[in-house]
Structure formats: C-alpha cells, structure tokens
Amino acid sequence: MARYYFHLATGHETVPDEDGLELVDLAKARNGVLAAVQEFRRECSSEADDWKGWRLNMADARGAVVFSISLDSPFR
C-alpha cells in the first residue's frame, strides 16, 4: 500500500491534504479520484464558476504529482 495526498490548487493558491490516504496502487487511486470528481461535478454544477482554475493534484509520499484533474473544465 502507498499513501497518496490530494491537494486542491490554483496558479496562486494551494490547499494541502495533510493526511492523505493509503491505497492499494496508483491505478485504483486514480479511478477513485475520477469517480469522486464526477460526483462532485454532478452535485456542484451550479457552483462551477467558484472552481474555475482549480485542480485536484494527487501526489505520492515524496510529493511528486502523479495525477492531476481540472475541477472546472467539464462543468461547461
């Protein structure tokens, strides 16, 4: 198992995930992120402008970003 961190970020601001989650592997972690973002987009579509420019960056324990997804693109 590996620990992954899920940071919210714009070009000028970052909201770090201090705790992270232990997950079996990168592929399962990525699939979980995609599912969570899809649900977020469905539930918060009326707030799309609030998330313009924000990304969810998934980082490994060393801090390297292993996956990143825009939170605003698919709202449009």
Side-chain angles (χ1 to χ4, degrees):
M1 301 231 339
R3 184 166 294 272
Y4 294 97
Y5 298 85
F6 303 89
H7 309 298
L8 292 170
T10 65
H12 60 279
E13 183 178 359
T14 299
V15 179
D17 172 7
E18 301 289 336
D19 300 320
L21 293 173
E22 284 199 14
L23 301 165
V24 175
D25 63 31
L26 180 59
K28 289 187 184 200
R30 184 180 180 277
N31 289 340
V33 167
L34 290 172
V37 169
Q38 282 182 325
E39 182 177 340
F40 168 79
R41 288 175 179 154
R42 278 192 305 274
E43 292 178 3
C44 300
S45 63
S46 64
E47 300 168 16
D49 287 339
D50 294 340
W51 292 100
K52 188 172 177 78
W54 284 89
R55 302 190 66 74
L56 178 65
N57 295 327
M58 186 172 82
D60 64 15
R62 294 175 291 128
V65 174
V66 295
F67 178 71
S68 183
I69 186 169
S70 172
L71 295 178
D72 67 346
S73 300
F75 283 127
R76 307 256 180 248

